[in-house]
Amino acid sequence: MNRRNFLKGVMPLALAPLAFNGIPVRVMGQSALTSSFSCEEVSDRILVLIQLHGGNDGLNTLIPLEQYNTYKSLRPLIGIKDSGPRKYIELDSTMANQDQVGLHPDLMAMKSMYDDGLVHIVQDVSYPDNNGSHFKGTDILLSGKDGINMPENPVDGWFGRYLDHRYPNYPDVYPNPDMEDPPGLEFGSHIVSLGFHRQVGIPMGLTLSNNPTSFQSLLSGVGGALPDQFPASDYGAELQYLVEMERSTNVYAERLDQLFTAGTNDPSVTYPDVYHTPTQFNYKNRLAPQLKTVARLISGGSRTKIFLVRMGGFDTHAHQALAGKPSYGAHGSLLYHLSQSVKAFQDDLAAQGLADRVMTVTLSEFGRQVAENGTMGTDHGTSAPMMIFGRGVNPGVSGTNPNLNQINNNNFTSYQHDYRQVFTTVMQDWLGANNGTLDETGFYEFSGQKLNLVNSQYNDGSGNLVNYVADTTCDTTPDLPTLTTSISHPASTQVQVEIGPNPTSGMLNIQFEWSRMQPAHLALYDMQGRTVLERELRMFAGMVQTSWDIGSLHAGTYVLQIVANKGSAFSSRVICTEKIVVTE
């Protein structure tokens, strides 16, 4: 049994969820702030992730205007209207006709933020082999994998790998004067999310009733001395894991209590409570109090790096819309809460002079199918948009509307962006990670496929443009080259490739399974991203085997990349990106 599943079944009181004002919280393991991230402007930056749990319907979030007639033919009952008081909101008239989108009418606050330069939308986001499973899809997003290379029982996530690399040696030397706070905080879950787990070491779990001022006293009253000796068995290993979690929990109890007490929310900002229109879907807003708490902790001085908050309810198989009122219903309520809550969060931060530190990104395990079903809803699909908010975003839209005529079994047959392109960009251009950090996180192969999401300047609220620091100059950890556009491809289909010997002094043997006859391109790049060797390979269905004499290279580290069908704009695929060491 792995630790993640073990914790689902064994959750002592001291490890139950913490809640601020009734909101369950999880705290991620922590370590020292190292000189690798020494720039003050970068070390203060924060990433807030909003998980839209259940699979957000992208086509009713962003309506493809040039394809509107096709859209309405596929969604005659739930498709958003193009006229009347609840018609879609035109996002940006300056975009090309084929890129024009309409927002769901309950995204009026998002439109306001877009007009203020605080929103970037990434169209048509998915990953290879998206099978529409809630559980697998969520694990894929949190682990940083895809449907092809996802392990059966994942044990770690990309947040955890990133934070583990940035704050090493947890929990031995933390907290310390340079980093008093937990690197990650998670809301709305009863167990620590896979995203915050590491290969080795613990995440953090804290518990509280519903009063943040009693945080410290409640934890100290759990009682009982923790053991120092553990049996040499699986049970002993799990017991040690739980004890380390509880000890780390107690370390941060007083600190989080102090942050919450010291912080505030601007009194001029109102966080929305319920849906603006009374219907049977007058849902209570579950996101607003989470973001309100995040803002208060940041106001109190928190330097937590990653916050994860959640909205449920996006699994809209039925009653996504109301009969005769397609913009009302379950999905409209959720989009209203999302849009209004993020707007209130952004206003709260701006009023307190904190908005330049925070970037917020949505993620959802998949989108919905293209056509509506027979129950006023939509079923599990594939791609959907991601939304990025904040003063540091480069406002606009990446990509174009998905093609409603290119569908199979009611799903899109392709996608434009891999979700890891978004997070690679955010990690490097916002949080300051260099390529060495991306490699440790597992996103290095996407360093040549970044998007234009982060602005080098921001408006300080007084009309003045302020320059952001060039992030990667602040990260002095061992680096790898940026993969240049010459080795950037539109998608990846990672397969299990056996390469050896590695290190090698000359001959490199390569072996992998492939599904069809197809040409491939092999290339080796040096650590500055320059091509040093390349060759072509004809792949056949079955086991592909080839040997490559690379003895002409100087001793050093290189990057091997294998690309299937290179040169095709639609079907080229990176199937392997590996580091190769050449010896004398």
Side-chain angles (χ1 to χ4, degrees), residues 507-510 535 545-549:
M507 194 62 67
L508 189 66
N509 300 313
I510 302 169
R535 55 168 285 198
Q545 295 176 317
T546 188
S547 295
W548 194 5
D549 186 356

Side-chain angles (χ1 to χ4, degrees), residues 559-570:
V559 177
L560 168 69
Q561 192 168 78
I562 305 174
V563 180
N565 212 30
K566 183 179 180 181
S568 169
F570 301 100

Side-chain angles (χ1 to χ4, degrees), residues 167 178 209 252 317 321 347-348 362 370 379 409 477 542 567:
Y167 304 100
D178 290 322
S209 55
Y252 293 111
H317 290 283
D347 290 345
D348 196 354
T362 66
V370 180
D379 298 323
N409 293 326
T477 52

Side-chain angles (χ1 to χ4, degrees), residues 456-502:
S456 60
Q457 295 181 318
Y458 69 91
N459 190 313
D460 66 1
S462 303
N464 300 314
L465 289 179
V466 179
N467 289 320
Y468 276 124
V469 173
D471 298 349
T472 52
T473 63
C474 299
D475 183 349
T476 58
T477 52
D479 199 5
L480 295 172
T482 298
L483 299 184
T484 62
T485 49
S486 64
I487 54 172
S488 173
H489 294 274
S492 285
T493 304
Q494 200 75 14
V495 300
Q496 186 64 42
V497 179
E498 296 182 13
I499 298 171
N502 188 19

Side-chain angles (χ1 to χ4, degrees), residues 434-437 439 444 447 477-484 487 524-533 553-560 577-582:
N434 69 20
N435 291 309
T437 303
D439 187 50
Y444 172 63
S447 63
T477 52
D479 199 5
L480 295 172
T482 298
L483 299 184
T484 62
I487 54 172
L524 277 166
Y525 303 89
D526 65 16
M527 302 313 283
Q528 285 71 49
R530 296 172 299 200
T531 305
V532 293
L533 284 179
L553 297 178
H554 296 294
T557 301
Y558 300 86
V559 177
L560 168 69
T577 303
E578 299 284 347
K579 287 183 290 185
I580 305 296
V581 177
V582 177

